[in-house]
Amino acid sequence: MTPQEKLNTAYEYVAKHIDFCPRLLLVLGSGLGGFAEKIEIVETLDYADIPCFPKSTVTGHKGRFVFGYCEGIPIAAMQGRVHMYEGYDAADAVLPLRLMWMMGAEVLFLTNAAGGIQEGMQAGDFMLITDQIASFVPSPLRGENFDRIGTRFPDMTEIYSRRFQKIIRTIAGEAGIPLKEGVYLQAAGPAYESPAEIRMYRMLGADAVGMSTAIEAVAARHAGMEVCGISCISNLAAGISPTPLSHEEVKAAADASSEKFELLVRKSIAEIGRSLEHGIV
Ligand code: HPA
């Protein structure tokens, strides 16, 4: 099956079973999935029930869509995402967000756990993503273009919406939540990086490194979605951290900061929702 056929098959199923039109898709990273249970839930849909949907296999990721209202805004939340390191093509990994775009989502709010590279970063920090480096992973747009979704050569000058960055910055300031800012780099994983790789990424301008997100942002921009993203710095990257890295440490650190993170995300969604209603720039 081509990626387009897979998407259409998945969409047919979801459209038949879900009577909900999300305006915003929230992707929840490792350790952050609990937020989905705190929205006003209308419906849930397990990934495993959707035909052609790649299965999420990582522990700490639940694997379902939660549809409901957050601060009155109709949203879909992904509890668990699909990573390329699980063996999927980039096009498969972005099928979920394309699906939600077809369901009506015009905003993509990305969250993830990431390793901190920027000088002065500490585990537990939050980083507003201002731009990204996706050069180390294949493009999700590779292959035949989905003309129905977007153009062959989409512009990527402003992947992360400046007006949404401004909203998130303001919300964090008002809530007294310190917020770093920087460039997210997507590495292939699943192994964590070597210290030499981290030194290279730092020289290239990366402030945080993770194994998701950048291809999702590219696919979303292709579809014309407006994107924003926040990384939870779960650990200092290899060679900066004094200890070896582990998935358990990453999940535990993300868990530990989840309360503040959820506040930041909730208030940001409320304000983003308002900006959509009023067309505020
Ligand atoms: N590297 C890559 N991905 C990650 C890291 C890291 O240090 N921490 C959380 N996700």
Side-chain angles (χ1 to χ4, degrees), residues 87-232:
Y88 298 109
D89 289 340
D92 287 326
V94 301
L95 180 143
L97 77 93
R98 284 179 165 157
L99 200 51
M100 289 303 112
W101 172 76
M102 288 172 87
M103 292 293 287
E106 60 207 283
V107 174
L108 177 63
F109 197 132
L110 293 161
T111 73
N112 58 49
I117 297 179
Q118 190 185 92
E119 188 94 43
M121 256 180 191
Q122 287 178 344
D125 280 348
F126 300 131
M127 186 188 90
L128 176 67
I129 307 177
T130 54
D131 203 350
Q132 67 179 30
I133 296 172
S135 318
F136 295 94
V137 284
S139 170
L141 312 182
R142 198 178 123 90
E144 194 187 340
N145 187 50
F146 289 36
D147 292 330
R148 199 155 57 92
I149 299 184
T151 172
R152 172 77 289 186
F153 300 109
D155 174 64
M156 293 288 146
T157 308
E158 188 182 326
I159 299 181
Y160 295 90
S161 159
R162 280 200 203 107
R163 67 176 187 144
F164 290 172
Q165 287 184 46
K166 194 166 147 200
I167 287 174
I168 296 170
R169 221 175 266 130
T170 305
I171 298 285
E174 284 169 4
I177 298 174
L179 187 64
K180 308 257 180 189
E181 296 192 11
V183 173
Y184 174 94
L185 181 144
Q186 181 169 352
Y192 291 112
E193 301 70 32
S194 68
E197 284 168 331
I198 294 299
R199 286 195 298 275
M200 170 180 74
Y201 293 157
R202 173 180 267 169
M203 284 198 304
L204 295 178
D207 296 293
V209 59
M211 303 175 194
S212 62
T213 298
I215 55 168
E216 298 164 354
V218 167
R221 292 300 297 140
H222 178 235
M225 295 173 88
E226 204 167 348
V227 180
C228 60
I230 307 173
S231 291
C232 171

